């Protein structure tokens, strides 16, 4: 005759609770694996006229993380710079996702702070215009919505 007793309701509950607790990290890993950073470089560029003071945009592109947006200017009119910030794209319009951060950028890399994902959006764009008033400016470079 066996000396085995069926588990009590309390031990069954504790076993299920332990199994559920162990599953949480696994589910978190699976979710993050689906959201790989979008770090591939895409070219951008524009030539701004003498009096042109309007923003143009690079993007939108899918943004998968809460990282900075990466922008690298490879060419710009000598002595000039641009002003840039990050916009979110909601499928029909752009929304400022920089919360007031506006960057002045010249040759080289600039990391743009943003709240695209935190504010519930999935796509980002860089909004940029020439800085410093009148004068023609040409700029080109690469960018990615996620910084890796």
């Amino acid at each position: 005759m066996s000396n085995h007793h069926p588990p009590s309701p309390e031990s069954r509950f504790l076993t299920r609770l332990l199994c559920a607790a162990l599953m949480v990290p696994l589910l978190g890993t699976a979710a993050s694996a689906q959201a790989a950073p979008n770090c591939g470089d895409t070219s951008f560029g524009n030539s701004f006229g003498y009096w042109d003071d309007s923003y143009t945009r690079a993007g939108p592109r899918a943004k998968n993380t809460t990282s900075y947006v990466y922008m690298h200017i490879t060419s710009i009119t000598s002595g000039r710079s641009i002003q840039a910030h990050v916009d979110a794209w909601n499928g029909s319009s752009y929304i400022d996702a920089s919360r007031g951060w506006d960057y002045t950028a010249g040759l080289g890399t600039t990391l743009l702070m943003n709240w695209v994902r935190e504010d519930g959006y999935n796509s980002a764009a860089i909004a940029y215009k020439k800085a410093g008033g009148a004068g023609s400016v040409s700029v080109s470079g690469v960018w990615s919505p996620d910084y890796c």
Side-chain angles (χ1 to χ4, degrees):
M1 192 182 267
S2 173
N3 208 6
H4 178 73
H5 298 287
S8 69
E10 293 84 9
S11 67
R12 281 189 298 221
F13 172 77
L14 290 175
T15 301
R16 289 180 181 150
L17 183 63
L18 179 61
C19 288
L22 292 173
M23 290 296 289
V24 169
L26 294 175
L27 293 174
T29 302
S32 65
Q34 293 173 1
N38 189 1
C39 308
D41 287 346
T42 297
S43 297
F44 74 94
N46 195 44
S47 292
F48 296 95
Y50 193 86
W51 296 109
D52 188 359
D53 193 33
S54 60
Y55 279 97
T56 191
R57 288 186 180 82
R61 288 180 57 196
K63 179 153 181 56
N64 298 333
T65 71
T66 58
S67 70
Y68 294 103
V69 167
Y70 167 84
M71 178 178 70
H72 183 81
I73 296 174
T74 55
S75 175
I76 191 165
T77 303
S78 180
R80 297 304 301 258
S81 57
I82 62 169
Q83 285 181 266
H85 67 268
V86 177
D87 281 345
W89 173 250
N90 69 6
S92 61
S93 60
Y94 290 99
I95 298 97
D96 181 358
S98 292
R99 296 187 183 169
W101 288 89
D102 203 12
Y103 296 85
T104 301
L107 279 177
T109 299
T110 303
L111 301 178
L112 306 169
M113 189 175 296
N114 68 91
W115 286 263
V116 172
R117 297 292 297 187
E118 294 87 342
D119 289 344
Y121 302 104
N122 297 316
S123 297
I126 295 176
Y128 63 101
K129 67 179 185 175
K130 69 180 183 183
S136 298
V137 176
S138 292
V139 62
S140 62
V142 295
W143 78 287
S144 64
D146 294 321
Y147 175 63
C148 299

